[in-house]
Amino acid sequence: FHMMNSEKLGEALELLGCSDLRAELADKRVVTVSSNLFFAPVLAVNPHTPPDAVPGFPELLRNLLRPSEAAARRALDFARSVSWGRDVPVVAIHIRAREEGEDNDDWPTATSPNRGLLEKLAACVQIAVSKEIGSTGGWWPFQSGQWDAYIASTTEAARSAVEETLKSKAPGLRRVLQLKPLLNRRVAQGAEDAMAEALLISRASVLVRLVVGTSGFSTFAYLSNALRIQNEWVASEPSLHRSTAMPNFLVTEDCGPGRCFMAPTDVRMASIGWHGPKYTRRSCGDVVQNVERKGTSQLGCRGLRPVDTTGE
């Protein structure tokens, strides 16, 4: 079913969100579901679904796919070459900027952040460092006050602008790390490099992200967070194992004063309430409202927690 097709969506919401699936599908040997909607939250609110029966997105992803050997080797070789996180923590920064030929409806509005947005990013990074890995109150065991930055971006212009800004405005910054990937994800090498960058970001202490011109979500950021629990590719490097969630900060021109927020790490279902109650209200109630009450449909500024820009 397609999330834009109201009739089919309504049928899917009834089946996945209300019906007793065991009874409904008992005579089927194999069941496949194809959709452009992340529908696990719908299954989770089904009244017939036992509590906690639907895993979170990281667990679902781990059961579905693993990084390729080529991508894992690329990431691991780079991490070893820079002694990733051994002496100082790493703050990952991901910038989603406008790419040539991309469908830009409600997506990035420029190839690089403007000066004002770069200033906000630098301030938010410093807040993240102070709150999460500072020598006072932070959980990271280093006391030097130094940190490394790993910058990833969809455009070289954005990457260079952020690097220049951090080097001039980020106290404690020791090094700027960059994989220098092939940015064309439509070819094999570019796809491998993108996965390698996601794997590296999943090993960071903090992730600060920005979508230029909007508060839109970033599937790359969600992928990086979900890969956090996959440690098989770093089995030979125990120092790179991770087991706890990575703090996420979001910089945006939207959503109010300061423009620096703590953001959820979990994948949220796309907003489909606009179809209206004719299609979302099913036999067990309004399925979309049930999902929203669990907080898994809060896109845009909803669900973000403002961070004090003074750093206090």
Side-chain angles (χ1 to χ4, degrees), residues 124 128 132 206-209 247-251 260-262 307:
C124 195
E132 302 296 340
V206 181
L207 172 58
V208 181
R209 62 184 183 87
N248 276 224
F249 289 76
L250 172 67
V251 180
C260 179
F261 302 86
M262 292 203 73
V307 177

Side-chain angles (χ1 to χ4, degrees), residues 214-237:
T214 80
S215 61
F217 70 90
S218 167
T219 53
F220 184 87
Y222 290 135
L223 172 63
S224 299
N225 281 291
L227 289 170
R228 185 85 166 172
I229 67 170
Q230 296 195 26
N231 288 309
E232 294 82 2
W233 69 280
V234 289
S236 61
E237 294 287 343

Side-chain angles (χ1 to χ4, degrees), residues 98-251:
R98 188 183 183 103
E99 301 174 77
E100 185 178 355
E102 181 185 26
D103 178 3
N104 288 292
D105 183 23
D106 193 32
W107 292 115
T109 56
T111 58
S112 179
N114 59 30
R115 179 52 53 187
L117 202 52
L118 287 169
E119 297 279 350
K120 291 183 177 70
L121 177 64
C124 195
V125 168
Q126 204 54 43
I127 291 170
V129 169
S130 176
K131 290 177 69 68
E132 302 296 340
I133 59 179
S135 59
T136 57
W139 60 267
W140 197 262
F142 299 117
Q143 301 298 319
S144 68
Q146 292 187 312
W147 50 282
D148 289 340
Y150 179 81
I151 303 175
S153 176
T154 53
T155 68
E156 185 57 42
R159 189 194 309 271
S160 299
V162 171
E163 178 179 9
E164 179 181 349
T165 299
L166 289 182
K167 285 182 174 179
S168 64
K169 296 181 178 295
L173 175 64
R174 187 183 69 162
R175 295 182 299 175
V176 172
L177 309 176
Q178 298 185 54
L179 185 65
K180 297 293 186 181
L182 180 65
L183 295 178
N184 184 0
R185 299 178 188 175
R186 295 179 177 87
V187 299
Q189 185 61 58
E192 289 175 2
D193 286 354
M195 177 58 81
E197 287 211 295
L199 288 169
L200 287 168
I201 290 175
S202 77
R203 305 299 107 176
S205 304
V206 181
L207 172 58
V208 181
R209 62 184 183 87
L210 165 68
V211 180
V212 178
T214 80
S215 61
F217 70 90
S218 167
T219 53
F220 184 87
Y222 290 135
L223 172 63
S224 299
N225 281 291
L227 289 170
R228 185 85 166 172
I229 67 170
Q230 296 195 26
N231 288 309
E232 294 82 2
W233 69 280
V234 289
S236 61
E237 294 287 343
S239 66
L240 294 175
H241 289 199
R242 301 290 183 264
S243 59
T244 58
M246 175 170 52
N248 276 224
F249 289 76
L250 172 67
V251 180

Side-chain angles (χ1 to χ4, degrees), residues 48-71:
H48 299 281
T49 302
D52 302 320
V54 179
F57 181 72
E59 291 77 15
L60 291 170
L61 184 70
R62 180 169 58 185
N63 292 333
L64 180 66
L65 64 84
R66 304 288 175 89
S68 70
E69 290 185 7

